[in-house]
Amino acid sequence: MSILPFFQWCEATALGTAIRETTWAFAVIESIHLLALSVIGGAVLVVDLRLLGLGLRHQRINDLARDAQPWLNRSLAVMLITGIGLFLSEPTKCYYSTPFWFKMTSLLLAITFAFTIRRKVIFAEEGRISPVAYTIVGLVSMALWLGVGAGGRWIGFSG
């Protein structure tokens, strides 16, 4: 069973057609998507670097995570919404695109990790998590989100 018909249906939608045929829509959506990327990158990095012991050592991890979490949540929501808009502009091309599938797989893994394992670790009481576990979680988180960003750039540079 192929999902290609769904991708073709997406391409034929009025919204997909409008984004594809309007001279400015894709550029505006992509700009907002990239701004949200910078926000999510900051929200992830500030906490992950703290997990690695590379900054903001005067702040407790769970306090820093609590402050960064709303930024991560909101920027992720904006990225998902604008990502759907970008996808709708060329779904059939995405279906056949290795970079698209790499990014979607990375995104699924990054979101799952962020809202399960990473969340439990960063909101744990002080002293309950070992420094080694903090390091592993920080490195895995950064690697997964790097995969999302790299996949996005790969899509942008593939024909």
Side-chain angles (χ1 to χ4, degrees):
M1 182 174 179
S2 172
I3 59 172
L4 179 59
F6 172 72
F7 280 58
Q8 292 168 329
W9 175 83
C10 289
E11 190 157 333
T13 63
L15 183 57
T17 302
I19 293 169
R20 191 172 42 261
E21 292 180 359
T22 305
T23 57
W24 54 267
F26 186 90
V28 169
I29 294 168
E30 187 171 36
S31 296
I32 295 168
H33 192 73
L34 293 174
L35 286 171
L37 173 66
S38 67
V39 174
I40 202 170
V44 168
L45 277 175
V46 72
V47 175
D48 289 349
L49 291 173
R50 175 64 182 91
L51 290 173
L52 298 175
L54 297 176
L56 300 174
R57 292 182 184 187
H58 63 283
Q59 289 192 331
R60 294 179 348 156
I61 291 170
N62 57 8
D63 290 339
L64 183 60
R66 192 167 291 106
D67 291 341
Q69 193 68 37
W71 292 96
L72 185 145
N73 294 344
R74 290 179 187 125
S75 60
L76 179 59
V78 170
M79 288 190 67
L80 292 173
I81 291 166
T82 56
I84 290 169
L86 296 174
F87 165 76
L88 287 174
S89 73
E90 52 187 10
T92 304
K93 178 183 172 189
C94 290
Y95 179 81
Y96 293 106
S97 168
T98 299
F100 171 79
W101 292 110
F102 177 85
K103 180 178 179 173
M104 293 303 106
T105 301
S106 297
L107 181 61
L108 176 64
L109 293 172
I111 290 172
T112 301
F113 186 79
F115 290 98
T116 57
I117 296 168
R118 182 180 182 267
R119 184 176 182 83
K120 286 184 181 195
V121 168
I122 63 176
F123 288 118
E125 292 179 28
E126 200 74 21
R128 291 195 45 146
I129 307 294
S130 74
V132 171
Y134 279 145
T135 300
I136 291 169
V137 167
L139 290 173
V140 169
S141 175
M142 287 191 296
L144 290 171
W145 287 109
L146 175 64
V148 175
R153 287 297 27 159
W154 189 12
I155 290 169
F157 290 111
S158 66

